């Protein structure tokens, strides 16, 4: 059925599928009592999967399309843009948005932190979704490795973050409003990733892919990996490696 619909619509569909893991994880984190160590291990596994997708899928594709210069410049630019935006939002209460413990501030503790957390969650998800759309430009086929990697990383992200939001006293309406909105925006971002960038040259597409990859890697280093290490530091590295190998085997 997916092959019979327009490519831009298929891109939006797969972006929404990957983003829906945020909503699934949020439901588990908000309504179920999931041990923090288990959340951390799943987050470590998802981090390894994403690192593998970055290494063997995104950067490789950017290099083949535009050469080293476009890939390297885009990769650094993506990391720099994410870091600046993340630094700004962290100062306004979003620093611990992926933490499942008591680190997230309540609105009474830091005014405006709720909006900062929502914008931070959006910042984390947009580059991943654009990658899905851009991956379809070459031949109309989605990169299932990218979709699976993003889905697996989104699940613990939604789980951990929503558990922390609940402990900070935020309502179910607030929590699920954020994740439903981001899941929908993920689909839209993937759709636009295909519809907009398919009109550009290979160099621009390569740079865009690399920008998204740089932003994703910076996000992993700044948010997901610290949470995984804090709660399960004895095993976080091993689980990350297993996630990396699991995703690598899907690409061989």
């Amino acid at each position: 059925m997916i092959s019979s619909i327009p490519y831009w619509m298929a891109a939006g569909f797969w972006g929404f599928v990957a983003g829906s893991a945020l909503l699934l994880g949020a439901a588990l984190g908000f309504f179920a009592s999931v041990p923090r160590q288990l959340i951390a291990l799943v987050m470590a596994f998802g981090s390894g999967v994403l690192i593998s997708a970055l290494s063997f899928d995104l950067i490789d594709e950017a290099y083949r399309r535009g050469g080293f210069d476009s890939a390297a410049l885009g990769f650094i630019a993506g990391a720099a843009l994410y870091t600046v935006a993340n630094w700004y939002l962290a100062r306004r209460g979003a620093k611990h948005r992926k933490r499942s413990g008591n680190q997230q501030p309540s609105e009474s503790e830091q005014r405006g932190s709720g909006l900062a957390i929502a914008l931070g969650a959006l910042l984390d998800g947009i580059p991943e979704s654009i990658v899905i759309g851009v991956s379809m430009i070459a031949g109309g086929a989605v990169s299932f490795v990218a979709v699976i990697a993003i889905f697996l990383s989104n699940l613990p992200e939604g789980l951990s973050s929503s558990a922390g939001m609940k402990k900070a006293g935020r309502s179910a309406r607030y929590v699920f409003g954020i994740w439903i909105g981001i899941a929908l925006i993920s689909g839209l971002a993937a759709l636009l990733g295909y519809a907009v960038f398919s009109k550009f040259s290979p160099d621009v597409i390569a740079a865009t892919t690399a920008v998204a990859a740089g932003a994703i890697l910076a996000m992993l280093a700044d948010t997901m990996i610290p949470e995984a290490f804090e709660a399960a530091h004895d095993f976080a590295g091993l689980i990350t490696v297993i996630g990396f190998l699991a995703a690598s085997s899907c690409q061989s």
Side-chain angles (χ1 to χ4, degrees):
M1 181 183 71
I2 297 301
S3 60
S4 66
I5 66 175
Y7 290 152
W8 60 267
M9 190 178 296
F13 170 79
W14 289 117
F16 177 76
V17 168
S20 66
L22 292 166
L23 188 57
L24 176 60
L28 290 172
F30 197 86
F31 294 114
S33 180
V34 182
R36 191 179 175 203
Q37 288 77 11
L38 179 59
I39 297 174
L41 291 176
V42 176
M43 189 166 284
F45 184 86
S47 297
V49 170
L50 265 185
I51 293 171
S52 178
L54 292 172
S55 303
F56 297 109
D57 196 21
L58 302 184
I59 290 300
D60 180 64
E61 178 69 15
Y63 178 81
R64 286 192 299 106
R65 282 181 178 272
F68 177 78
D69 290 346
S70 293
L73 288 174
F75 197 56
I76 294 172
L81 288 170
Y82 177 88
T83 299
V84 171
N86 186 58
W87 171 83
Y88 176 82
L89 292 171
R91 291 168 62 89
R92 281 151 181 78
K95 181 177 181 180
H96 300 298
R97 59 184 177 276
K98 283 188 172 67
R99 299 299 180 93
S100 57
N102 296 307
Q103 298 95 333
Q104 289 190 30
S106 65
E107 196 66 23
S108 60
E109 291 172 331
Q110 187 166 358
R111 188 174 180 83
S113 58
L115 177 60
I117 289 171
L119 292 175
L122 184 62
L123 171 69
D124 297 337
I126 291 298
E128 300 172 342
S129 303
I130 291 176
V131 161
I132 292 175
V134 172
S135 75
M136 296 182 62
I137 292 175
V142 71
S143 171
F144 286 107
V145 172
V147 173
I148 292 170
I150 293 167
F151 186 94
L152 289 177
S153 67
N154 280 343
L155 183 65
E157 178 182 338
L159 199 162
S160 179
S161 184
S162 64
M165 290 176 185
K166 183 179 180 181
K167 290 178 180 178
R170 294 188 163 89
S171 67
R173 177 181 295 182
Y174 170 86
V175 173
F176 290 101
I178 284 180
W179 298 122
I180 290 172
I182 292 176
L184 293 173
I185 293 172
S186 295
L188 179 61
L191 184 156
L192 292 175
Y194 177 84
V196 173
F197 290 99
S198 60
K199 299 177 174 62
F200 290 101
S201 68
D203 280 347
V204 173
I205 295 172
T208 302
T209 303
V211 165
I216 293 170
L217 185 56
M219 179 271 290
L220 287 172
D222 286 348
T223 60
M224 287 185 68
I225 292 175
E227 167 66 9
F229 180 80
E230 181 178 326
H233 58 273
D234 290 333
F235 300 99
L238 174 62
I239 299 300
T240 301
V241 169
I242 292 172
F244 182 93
L245 289 175
S248 301
S249 66
C250 295
Q251 307 194 47
S252 58

